[in-house]
Amino acid sequence: LFWQQLFTPMPGLAVDLAELDAGDPVPTGDGYDVVVYSGVAVPAAPAAPFLAVATPGGVPGLASTGVAESPAVTLVRGDDPLLRGVDLTTVAIAQSQRVDADLGAVLVGGEDAPLIVRGVVGSQRYVYFTFALTDSNLPVQVAFPILGDRILTELSGAALTTEPIEVGEPLPIEPTDSGDAV
């Protein structure tokens, strides 16, 4: 609900909400720019960059190993562009998954509990929240829409480059198929 409310009013963004029944296969994301897996398992071979939120079993390569009760935010990588200037000091979390984050970069952490992790599965970028938004006060924080926008921008590849560009070099923009002939 929170992600849908955050992403729906963004200009140029189409949100396709899929309700899954028990036994339904989880979509791989083929044909989408970004997929949000909230409370459902992430497929073993995702076909699009994704945001995983409290997914059963974790994400491929980062298995959930238990539950952390009331993990306090003790680490914020404020130098990371995703979190630069984002205040998470008042975020409270009732519970999160414990994961071994050896294959991901912990961006926000609690004691023995990574809370937000970034990584790559196959060739797909991901951001993984180890807690459900309903188990936290993050959705009512000023930081939430800023963080959500930055995550979507990063995962979709729409982020602006910070690398210097010399005159005559190609622009570092991923081509898209607009369907229009040029």
Side-chain angles (χ1 to χ4, degrees):
L1 175 66
F2 295 113
W3 295 110
Q4 181 184 8
Q5 290 176 341
L6 178 66
F7 295 147
T8 298
M10 290 183 175
L13 185 67
V15 176
D16 183 9
L17 181 62
E19 296 282 336
L20 300 178
D21 293 324
D24 286 350
V26 176
T28 63
D30 191 30
Y32 289 91
D33 295 324
V34 175
V35 178
V36 178
Y37 296 103
S38 184
V40 297
V42 176
F50 64 93
L51 170 62
V53 184
T55 57
V59 299
L62 294 179
S64 175
T65 60
V67 175
E69 297 294 334
S70 303
V73 175
T74 58
L75 168 74
V76 177
R77 300 276 182 212
D79 58 338
D80 189 277
L82 199 64
L83 299 171
R84 190 171 292 127
V86 175
D87 181 10
L88 299 175
T89 58
T90 59
V91 171
I93 300 167
Q95 71 176 21
S96 73
Q97 298 170 329
R98 288 189 193 277
V99 296
D100 293 324
D102 297 338
L103 298 177
V106 177
L107 301 177
V108 179
E111 187 175 326
D112 295 327
L115 301 171
I116 302 176
V117 179
R118 173 198 289 131
V120 177
V121 171
S123 63
Q124 303 302 334
R125 298 178 306 274
Y126 71 83
V127 173
Y128 173 30
F129 282 64
T130 63
F131 59 95
L133 292 181
T134 55
D135 287 340
S136 77
N137 66 354
L138 179 60
V140 298
Q141 301 284 325
V142 172
F144 182 62
I146 297 166
L147 186 59
D149 179 66
R150 289 181 183 174
I151 289 170
L152 183 63
T153 300
E154 180 176 304
L155 292 177
S156 68
L160 298 175
T161 183
T162 57
E163 298 296 317
I165 301 172
E166 299 277 330
V167 173
E169 288 183 1
L171 293 175
I173 300 173
E174 293 183 30
T176 60
D177 181 11
S178 65
D180 298 330
V182 180

